[in-house]
Amino acid sequence: MPDVRSSITDAVHFYGSSTPRELVREYGSPLYVYNETILRTRCRELLGLSSHPGFRVNYSAKANTNPALLRIIREEGCVADAMSPGELYLNKMAGFTPDELLYVCNNVPAEELAAAVDAGLIVSVDSLAQLDLLGRTRPGCRAMVRLNPGIGAGHHQKVITAGKKTKFGISPASLPEVFDIVNAHKMRLSGLNQHIGSLFMEPEGYLNAMDVLLGIASRLRSEGRLNDLEILDFGGGFGIPYHKYENQPRLDLAALGQGIHQRISEWSAQNNYKGRFYVEPGRYISAECCVLLGTVTATKSNAETAYAGSDLGFNVLMRPVLYDAFHDIEIYRGTAPESETVAQTIVGNICESGDILAHNRELPRLKENDILGVLDAGAYGYVMASTYNSRPRPAEVLITKNGTPKLIRRRETLEDLAALFTD
Ligand code: LLP
C-alpha cells in the first residue's frame, strides 16, 4: 500500500512481504535493510559491461563488507578487492579464493604486505617506498603499482583520488624507478591499476583515464618491460543517482560498456594480451540495495527552522555530515501519500549541532513516530558507522529473493560496547 512518501521503494517492492514498521518492530530502530534482488541486479548490470573473456568486476569491499552480501556478490561472478587485514578476512569468510582477491593498499606496514602475499594475493602498492618495502619483505613476489593518471573525479574533494591534490598513486614519470626497484628485488610487475575518484555520472572521464593507462601499458609492453602482466585495473567510481525523487538520470552504462569493451578488445589484440582487465566499483554495487530505517522522535521549531529529531545521527550514517552528501528520504506512517510539503531539517540524537541528516528538505510534515527511510544507504553506510556517544550500532536485515526478511547482523548491545575494556 502506498504510504506518505514511498513511491521509489514501492516501485521495486523493496520490503518484500514486510512493512518498514514491522521490520523496525522486529529488529529495532535504526535498521539497515538490504534487498537481495536489487543487489544481484546491480552486479549483473556491471558484469554485462563487456563480454571480453578477461573482463572482471572487482567489487571494492570497502563500500560494504557484510559477508552475507559478499557471498551474493561472489555468487553473481564478481571478484573483490581488500585494503586491510579486516577486509581480507571478511572476503575470505565469504568464500573468495586468493585468485579472486586483490590487495589494493595505501601506507601499510611490512607485516600487512607479507600477510597479503602469503595469503596468495597480488598486492598493489601506491608509492616507491611501499614498492621497495614489499620487495624487501617478500623478494621475488608479484607486485602491482597504482599509477596516478593525472585525471581526477568525484563528488567531493575528499574522494578525488587522482590528479595533483591527492596522496594516491605513483606518477608515470617515476616508472624508471619502479623498474629499478622491481629488478632489485627480483619481483614481477604483474599489474597496473588506477582509481580516479568516487562517483562519476558521465562515462567520459573514466574512459579518458583508461586511455592514459592503456597508453602507458602499450609503451611498456613494446619496450619489453611488461611481460609478466596479469591485470590492468581501471578502478571504480561508478555513480548512482541519489536524487531519485527528482528523476536524476542514471549513469549511461550502455555508453560506458561500449567504451570499455572496445578499448580492452582492441588493446588485447594489439598487444597480444590474454590477461585480465578489472573495473573496481564499490558504490554502484551496494548503495541502492539498501534503505536505512529510523524513527522520528521529536519535532520542534527554532526561529525559522522546523526540525524533525530522529535516531539517525551521524553515528549511524556519516555521509551527510562528512561530505554534505544528499540522500532521498521516504516517510512511512501507514497513511496515504501527501503532496503538501514544508521545509524541514532532519537531525539525529548526537550531541553536536552539525548532526544533520538533511537540510531544509521539502517534505510532508513529519510527526513523532513516523518511520523514515534513507535511500541508497548501502555503500559507505554501515561500514562508516560508529559508536559515538556510546550508542550501539544498528542491525542489518536482508530481504531475500522470496521477500522474507533475514537478520544478517545483530544489533550491538551495551555489553558489546564494554567488551574490549581491560580494567
Ligand atoms: N578502488 C579504490 C582503490 C578505491 O579507493 C575506491 C574507493 C574504490 C575502488 C571504489 O570506489 P566507488 O566505486 O565505491 O566509488 N566514503 C566515500 C567514498 C570513498 C571512496 C574511497 N575509495 C563516500 O561515502 O562517498
Side-chain angles (χ1 to χ4, degrees), residues 95-146:
F96 284 104
T97 55
D99 62 315
E100 295 167 344
L101 291 171
L102 192 63
Y103 206 72
V104 184
C105 57
N106 178 241
N107 300 330
V108 303
E111 306 78 67
E112 206 173 303
L113 296 170
V117 173
D118 295 348
L121 275 64
I122 301 180
V123 175
S124 163
V125 290
D126 92 329
S127 64
L128 296 176
Q130 289 264 282
L131 183 62
D132 189 53
L133 183 63
L134 177 64
R136 279 185 277 136
T137 310
R138 287 292 180 269
C141 74
R142 293 181 297 173
M144 185 155 168
V145 294
R146 174 168 175 177

Side-chain angles (χ1 to χ4, degrees), residues 40-41 69 71 144 183 187 199 201 208 213 218 241 249 253 316 326 391:
R40 288 188 187 276
T41 303
L69 306 182
R71 260 178 240 122
M144 185 155 168
N183 294 337
M187 290 188 277
L199 210 164
M201 293 306 289
N208 290 342
L213 192 68
S218 297
L253 282 190
V316 183
F326 178 97
R391 291 194 175 277

Side-chain angles (χ1 to χ4, degrees), residues 119-392:
L121 275 64
I122 301 180
V123 175
S124 163
V125 290
D126 92 329
S127 64
L128 296 176
Q130 289 264 282
L131 183 62
D132 189 53
L133 183 63
L134 177 64
R136 279 185 277 136
T137 310
R138 287 292 180 269
C141 74
R142 293 181 297 173
M144 185 155 168
V145 294
R146 174 168 175 177
L147 295 177
N148 180 340
I151 303 171
H155 68 86
H156 191 283
Q157 188 60 41
K158 287 177 183 162
V159 299
I160 296 175
T161 48
K164 290 207 169 95
K165 292 187 176 162
T166 169
K167 67 171 177 168
F168 292 106
I170 298 175
S171 162
S174 301
L175 277 165
E177 286 102 307
V178 165
F179 284 102
D180 288 346
I181 298 168
V182 164
N183 294 337
H185 300 296
K186 302 201 166 27
M187 290 188 277
R188 281 168 293 154
L189 190 59
S190 305
L192 298 177
N193 67 313
Q194 66 184 20
H195 173 69
I196 60 173
S198 197
L199 210 164
F200 63 85
M201 293 306 289
E202 303 291 337
E204 203 187 350
Y206 190 84
L207 295 175
N208 290 342
M210 276 183 80
D211 287 334
V212 175
L213 192 68
L214 290 170
I216 293 169
S218 297
R219 180 167 60 76
L220 295 175
R221 210 113 160 134
S222 68
E223 293 166 3
R225 290 199 290 169
L226 210 49
N227 297 330
D228 295 319
L229 187 67
E230 292 179 48
I231 297 175
L232 281 174
D233 175 353
F234 305 106
F238 301 57
I240 60 126
Y242 281 100
H243 292 261
K244 292 202 162 42
Y245 273 90
E246 291 158 47
N247 296 316
Q248 183 187 358
R250 298 191 70 80
L251 174 62
D252 185 348
L253 282 190
L256 183 64
Q258 198 185 27
I260 291 175
H261 183 72
Q262 189 188 351
R263 279 168 176 76
I264 64 180
S265 303
E266 284 175 12
W267 197 89
S268 305
Q270 281 160 8
N271 291 276
N272 189 25
Y273 174 70
K274 304 258 179 307
R276 287 166 282 169
F277 296 95
Y278 281 14
V279 294
E280 201 164 85
R283 183 189 321 269
Y284 193 90
I285 288 185
S286 63
E288 293 174 288
C289 66
C290 174
V291 177
L292 167 63
L293 296 179
T295 307
V296 176
T297 42
T299 57
K300 74 188 230 186
S301 286
N302 190 4
E304 301 290 276
T305 309
Y307 284 100
S310 74
D311 54 5
L312 294 171
F314 70 83
N315 53 322
V316 183
L317 182 69
M318 202 168 185
R319 302 192 69 254
V321 167
L322 196 57
Y323 315 115
D324 282 327
F326 178 97
H327 286 261
D328 259 321
I329 292 179
E330 293 199 332
I331 304 166
Y332 316 115
R333 189 183 294 152
T335 57
E338 281 179 19
S339 51
E340 205 174 306
T341 62
V342 47
Q344 293 157 92
T345 292
I346 306 176
V347 295
N349 50 11
I350 293 297
C351 60
E352 296 197 26
S353 48
D355 181 27
I356 297 173
L357 176 68
H359 281 272
N360 263 334
R361 208 58 85 73
E362 280 291 336
L363 290 170
R365 186 175 286 282
L366 289 163
K367 294 188 189 159
E368 201 177 304
N369 287 326
D370 280 348
I371 304 292
L372 299 175
V374 182
L375 304 189
D376 305 319
Y380 311 106
Y382 190 100
V383 287
M384 290 172 68
S386 75
T387 57
Y388 185 40
N389 283 189
S390 294
R391 291 194 175 277

